[in-house]
Amino acid sequence: MDQKGYRRESFQSSTSDEDMLEIAGASVDLSMADDDPPLDREMGGFSSYNGGGMNGKTTMMDFLEEPLPGVGTYEDFNTIDWVREKSRDRDRHREITNRSKESTWALLHSVSDAFSGWLLMLLIGLMAGSLAGLIDISAHWMTDLKEGVCLAGFWFNHEHCCWKSNTTFTDRDKCPEWKSWSQLILGFGEGAFAYILNYFMYVVWALMFSLLAVLLVKGFAPYACGSGIPEIKTILSGFIIRGYLGKWTLVIKTITLVLAVSSGLSLGKEGPLVHVACCCGNILCHLFTKYRKNEAKRREVLSAAAAAGVSVAFGAPIGGVLFSLEEVSYYFPLKTLWRSFFAALVAAFTLRSINPFGNSRLVLFYVEFHMPWHLLELVPFILLGIFGGLWGAFFIRSNIAWCRRRKTTRLGKYPVLEVLVVTAITAILAFPNEFTRMSTSELISELFNDCGILDSSKLCEYVNDFNSTKGDDLPDRAAAPGLYTAMWQLALALCMKVFITIFTFGMKVPSGLFIPSMAVGAITGRLLGVLVEQLAFYHHDWAIFSGWCSQGADCITPGLYAMVGAAACLGGVTRMTVSLVVIMFELTGGLEYIVPLMAAAMTSKWVADAIGREGIYDAHIRLNGYPFLEAKEEFSHKTRAMDVMRPRKNDPPLTVITQDSMTVEDVETIVTKTTYSGYPVVVSRASQRLVGFVLRRDLIISIENARKKQDGIVSTSVICFTDYCPPLPPSSPSVLKLRSILDLSPFTVTDEMPMEIVVDIFRKLGLRQCLVTHNGKLLGIITKKDVLKHIAQMANQDPDSILFN
């Protein structure tokens, strides 16, 4: 993507994110070859300007009264100018407000402009909710397809197939309408041969689903792989990745997400649903001019779309809004908070209307616990928090090490083979264990479940004494042999999930991390819950139990421990706190359990932060070299702007353009020989007094347009960035006036300014670069990448890792 010369054809590209799929390759190397220049093209963007002008000496026609196509837009893998974009939007809004007083039509236009944001949120919510419902229904059906088929209609999953069956409650999974593959092919379902055939069909279907998923991703939309949240965070911070939120990515991600989840891989659909919702938001933005033409406004919409994605992923609208605010958004004004809430509401309502799980709930694992928790139970809850933090830190380090190996070795050249091998290992290990054979969402649902009288799960096999049963509440009971067997199976499932997820997350298929992390925590929590329950049953006279757990009472709820463990492990991996707790209690419908969830989430974050500061998404951002300036971390080093700016000692002098003494040929030579994204404009090379800043893209487009449309513009024409150009001899060619594409107020700092203030300026204003001056004289420039490299250097990291690759 490096632009070494003046190539006119490269500036006719569309600004639409979905028109750039041809560059969307996971293996494209976009690292900068020319890393020494003071202004890095990779980190630059092309700022947005309102119009412009090019006046020749003999004609006063303004060729930039209407913005030229391409002027004010951004190239791929560039950072937007937040300040300029917000300024443009204020100018647009001010103009609409002033015109609304002139006529009724203008007033109606003003009202429609104000309402368009809410209409866009409505459309995003409807589209995201509909796609989530489609994904849930399809994934449920295809997951059951690995084990058998419904004779009443192949489109029914196992549960729906048996709804009208007359079988008893205990045999509800053995209805005659549902046939396993051995029953369908061999005519019988029992025996070793039937088991081997079912095993074989399970593995074959898993391999078919994963093969189709990876081939679709590789062939049509390479950006559809992974969870998408690290890239969403980077895009919301102002980075441009064209095609990442385009229509092809949306279509392929929706299809392959169903295939990947159905294959039985240790992944979830919740993270990718955020990507799907953001694709919906980006595509629908093109229906409204103010969002289509303004990158900052579009990012406000994407923040709301991310909230809608979490809303439909977990059935948690409020948690979705908080997730967008806490985890992914870079700029989140109050107006975006309200619109995010509305989008999440509409998305949740749409999903509830579709009712994909057939239980009138928004999620598959909705449970309600009836017994309160006791203060002494905070001890095992905090232990679960410690485990969650330890596992989160272990997972992040292991997964990043494996992903780095994938990027730097030949392994990355064989994504299809890698997916097939991991799928085969997962399917072969999963089938013998009933807790890993079922989908991860169903496993979590079963682990969260509070055992009732009619439950036939192995997790609910206790020695029953119905004489002591009071209503629906069962007392704590002794474990039956079936429960001990289930505990061993859960322990094996835990070992498998812990290790196989490390190799699964980051493969070239859509893969979320929420569900696998929750599964690890839920298994651990259920094991600990059953242990505490049995201790309370057999040793109710111990001091820790005697005060609150008498014999025959229902004291311990193992399902609650599973829920707390799930929150702890998810918090340890993602480092979420507030949004995590809200999502978890929205899942269960119980405000009563906020304190255990808060204790576990906070403990897991403290433990994980003590081992490593980064969550999984921040770690992947750093691994991929995305230019993301983390707003949560403080810069405490005592360095100054002059220590970071370019040029440094022994570097070539800063490339500048003078305001009224350079010709078209001179400027074209500079553009051809350098790869900088913009150039400071000074009064003269001798004085180095700063006039403004002009962007490379705008320069090239304006010169090209002037050569075509303005008479007398030749290579020897003088370019003038001032209102009044110096007088020239009568025989001189026309002057090219480009003052209107000049940024007359570039952000400047002095050479003695502390870098902690400079870093705060870059974070809070979203700058791409700032100029460094001394007594008004231009000294150098600091780009966003210079800041990132300096932060990495101060943290004893490799500064050259800050390259988008």
Side-chain angles (χ1 to χ4, degrees):
M1 300 300 296
D2 207 2
Q3 182 185 332
K4 291 294 184 184
Y6 173 20
R7 295 175 298 170
R8 296 184 180 182
E9 66 275 7
S10 65
F11 296 96
Q12 304 303 321
S13 58
S14 168
T15 62
S16 167
D17 270 6
E18 58 248 43
D19 294 335
M20 298 291 291
L21 249 299
E22 64 274 11
I23 57 134
S27 61
V28 176
D29 185 359
L30 294 154
S31 58
M32 292 289 291
D34 184 6
D35 194 40
D36 292 329
L39 182 61
D40 299 283
R41 175 185 175 274
E42 175 199 320
M43 293 307 305
F46 297 97
S47 185
S48 302
Y49 294 92
N50 293 323
M54 291 186 298
N55 298 337
K57 192 178 70 167
T58 58
T59 174
M60 297 305 294
M61 291 180 63
D62 193 344
F63 286 88
L64 288 179
E65 284 182 354
E66 292 297 325
L68 294 171
V71 171
T73 60
Y74 303 91
E75 282 198 318
D76 205 7
F77 309 113
N78 280 246
T79 304
I80 70 169
D81 189 332
W82 285 92
V83 176
R84 186 66 63 180
E85 293 290 300
K86 297 304 292 183
S87 176
R88 287 182 67 204
D89 185 61
R90 282 193 295 269
D91 291 342
R92 183 197 62 82
H93 188 265
R94 192 180 300 116
E95 183 180 354
I96 290 175
T97 303
N98 293 336
R99 286 183 178 177
S100 66
K101 302 171 185 177
E102 298 174 359
S103 66
T104 306
W105 176 253
L107 179 62
L108 290 174
H109 180 254
S110 175
V111 172
S112 68
D113 181 78
F115 180 70
S116 62
W118 296 101
L119 177 60
L120 180 56
M121 294 302 111
L122 176 67
L123 295 175
I124 290 171
L126 291 172
M127 191 172 178
S130 301
L131 287 175
L134 175 66
I135 290 169
D136 286 333
I137 293 170
S138 304
H140 198 174
W141 170 66
M142 292 179 69
T143 300
D144 287 346
L145 192 63
K146 292 184 299 182
E147 298 186 37
V149 69
C150 183
L151 297 182
F154 73 91
W155 54 88
F156 289 125
N157 61 40
H158 194 168
E159 182 182 0
H160 292 172
C161 184
C162 297
W163 269 355
K164 297 181 180 179
S165 176
N166 294 323
T167 53
T168 62
F169 185 83
T170 53
D171 293 330
R172 62 189 183 277
D173 290 335
K174 300 177 182 178
C175 63
E177 291 84 358
W178 180 264
K179 298 291 184 184
S180 67
W181 290 110
S182 62
Q183 289 174 322
L184 202 63
I185 297 171
L186 301 176
F188 56 90
E190 303 295 332
F193 196 61
Y195 180 85
I196 292 170
L197 181 62
N198 286 331
Y199 200 153
F200 175 75
M201 292 300 295
Y202 182 92
V203 174
V204 168
W205 277 110
L207 289 171
M208 284 176 57
F209 290 155
S210 62
L211 176 63
L212 187 55
V214 71
L215 289 178
L216 285 172
V217 168
K218 184 181 178 184
F220 294 96
Y223 282 159
C225 66
S227 89
I229 292 179
E231 289 77 12
I232 298 289
K233 286 186 70 169
T234 308
I235 289 171
L236 289 179
S237 75
F239 197 54
I240 301 276
I241 308 178
R242 298 214 184 278
Y244 200 85
L245 301 176
K247 55 179 177 289
W248 267 111
T249 303
L250 173 63
V251 171
I252 298 301
K253 186 122 190 175
T254 303
I255 296 171
T256 55
L257 179 55
V258 174
L259 292 167
V261 171
S262 304
S263 69
L265 285 166
S266 183
L267 48 81
K269 60 181 182 296
E270 283 64 25
L273 275 175
V274 176
H275 188 184
V276 167
C278 286
C279 287
C280 296
N282 180 67
I283 291 168
L284 292 170
C285 275
H286 289 83
L287 301 176
F288 301 88
T289 306
K290 75 174 181 179
Y291 296 107
R292 183 175 70 248
K293 294 186 176 181
N294 192 294
E295 293 288 351
K297 295 291 289 180
R298 191 185 301 193
R299 274 150 182 76
E300 294 179 20
V301 173
L302 296 180
S303 293
V310 175
S311 173
V312 294
F314 288 104
I318 301 173
V321 176
L322 292 174
F323 174 83
S324 181
L325 173 62
E326 179 183 4
E327 188 63 26
V328 298
S329 292
Y330 194 83
Y331 174 68
F332 202 85
L334 191 59
K335 179 172 60 176
T336 303
L337 177 70
W338 300 333
R339 290 181 175 173
S340 299
F341 184 81
F342 180 63
L345 165 69
V346 174
F349 173 78
T350 305
L351 185 64
R352 171 64 182 81
S353 302
I354 296 172
N355 193 17
F357 303 114
N359 59 1
S360 299
R361 302 292 185 186
L362 287 172
V363 289
L364 184 61
F365 35 90
Y366 186 95
V367 292
E368 287 185 279
F369 303 125
H370 304 288
M371 295 304 299
W373 59 279
H374 193 270
L375 188 63
L376 288 175
E377 288 186 280
L378 276 179
V379 175
F381 293 155
I382 289 174
L383 288 176
L384 287 173
I386 293 172
F387 171 80
L390 292 173
W391 183 77
F394 165 75
F395 174 81
I396 291 170
R397 291 197 175 187
S398 304
N399 180 253
I400 292 299
W402 178 252
C403 290
R404 183 175 288 112
R405 183 177 181 83
R406 181 189 291 127
K407 290 173 74 74
T408 57
T409 64
R410 296 180 56 131
L411 179 64
K413 297 179 181 179
Y414 305 101
V416 177
L417 181 62
E418 181 191 10
V419 169
L420 289 178
V421 169
V422 173
T423 304
I425 293 172
T426 305
I428 290 169
L429 294 177
F431 187 83
N433 188 337
E434 65 177 278
F435 292 113
T436 50
R437 187 190 314 167
M438 66 177 70
S439 72
T440 313
S441 295
E442 290 175 354
L443 171 62
I444 294 172
S445 178
E446 193 156 322
L447 293 168
F448 281 9
N449 185 39
D450 188 14
C451 289
I453 298 173
L454 298 177
D455 277 311
S456 59
S457 168
K458 278 187 179 180
L459 294 175
C460 297
E461 287 197 19
Y462 292 91
V463 178
N464 288 312
D465 181 7
F466 292 105
N467 293 327
S468 62
T469 302
K470 300 175 182 178
D472 291 333
D473 294 333
L474 293 172
D476 287 345
R477 299 158 289 169
L483 181 58
Y484 288 115
T485 303
M487 292 299 101
W488 278 109
Q489 289 179 322
L490 279 181
L492 293 172
L494 176 63
C495 295
M496 175 191 162
K497 292 284 184 185
V498 163
F499 290 101
I500 206 73
T501 307
I502 292 171
F503 302 100
T504 304
F505 187 70
M507 292 196 307
K508 299 306 179 213
V509 291
S511 53
L513 194 57
F514 284 23
I515 288 295
S517 301
M518 290 175 65
V520 169
I523 293 172
T524 307
R526 189 80 187 203
L527 291 171
L528 182 61
V530 172
L531 173 64
V532 175
E533 181 189 46
Q534 294 304 301
L535 282 175
F537 177 78
Y538 286 109
H539 304 285
H540 55 270
D541 53 343
W542 284 6
I544 56 173
F545 298 120
S546 59
W548 58 282
C549 189
S550 59
Q551 187 173 11
D554 183 11
C555 309
I556 308 298
T557 307
L560 173 60
Y561 285 71
M563 185 180 75
V564 172
C569 283
L570 185 54
V573 172
T574 63
R575 311 298 162 86
M576 294 190 299
T577 51
V578 180
S579 56
L580 172 63
V581 171
V582 173
I583 287 171
M584 292 304 296
F585 87 69
E586 282 189 273
L587 282 180
T588 59
L591 293 172
E592 194 175 350
Y593 308 106
I594 284 185
V595 173
L597 291 170
M598 291 176 70
M602 206 68 247
T603 305
S604 70
K605 178 172 172 58
W606 283 336
V607 172
D609 280 349
I611 300 172
R613 297 286 297 175
E614 291 179 321
I616 186 66
Y617 301 128
D618 295 326
H620 273 272
I621 286 173
R622 187 164 61 84
L623 175 68
N624 292 323
Y626 295 137
F628 182 76
L629 199 54
E630 180 59 68
K632 300 172 188 174
E633 296 181 1
E634 295 292 329
F635 182 85
S636 56
H637 302 282
K638 292 185 177 180
T639 51
R640 296 171 297 172
M642 66 167 62
D643 301 323
V644 182
M645 74 175 191
R646 305 287 187 93
R648 297 175 185 171
K649 291 180 179 179
N650 303 321
D651 282 350
L654 187 66
T655 303
V656 296
I657 297 175
T658 56
Q659 66 176 1
D660 55 15
S661 61
M662 295 183 71
T663 64
V664 170
E665 184 179 19
D666 295 335
V667 172
E668 287 183 343
T669 301
I670 289 176
V671 169
T672 302
K673 292 184 177 180
T674 62
T675 58
Y676 313 153
S677 66
Y679 307 92
V681 177
V682 296
V683 175
S684 66
R685 293 185 187 277
S687 69
Q688 290 289 305
R689 298 291 175 180
L690 183 64
V691 176
F693 193 83
V694 66
L695 293 165
R696 172 198 188 93
R697 181 181 177 90
D698 293 345
L699 260 181
I700 294 177
I701 293 175
S702 300
I703 293 173
E704 185 179 84
N705 184 74
R707 284 185 180 275
K708 291 179 180 178
K709 296 184 179 180
Q710 187 174 352
D711 293 335
I713 297 299
V714 293
S715 295
T716 55
S717 297
V718 173
I719 293 181
C720 183
F721 290 98
T722 58
D723 281 330
Y724 303 100
C725 299
L728 296 173
S731 58
S732 299
S734 299
V735 174
L736 176 55
K737 296 188 68 174
L738 295 180
R739 181 178 175 82
S740 49
I741 67 167
L742 180 67
D743 182 3
L744 292 168
S745 55
F747 206 93
T748 58
V749 298
T750 64
D751 54 337
E752 293 292 333
M753 180 172 283
M755 272 306 294
E756 56 186 328
I757 298 178
V758 175
V759 171
D760 267 349
I761 290 171
F762 270 87
R763 281 175 178 157
K764 294 174 180 176
L765 293 181
L767 298 182
R768 292 169 305 155
Q769 72 275 321
C770 69
L771 302 173
V772 182
T773 62
H774 179 75
N775 294 334
K777 181 180 178 182
L778 179 66
L779 289 185
I781 190 168
I782 299 175
T783 67
K784 186 177 180 182
K785 193 168 78 172
D786 291 329
V787 173
L788 288 164
K789 293 175 80 169
H790 183 65
I791 292 174
Q793 197 169 6
M794 292 293 102
N796 295 321
Q797 298 171 356
D798 179 15
D800 290 328
S801 65
I802 311 300
L803 289 171
F804 180 48
N805 186 357

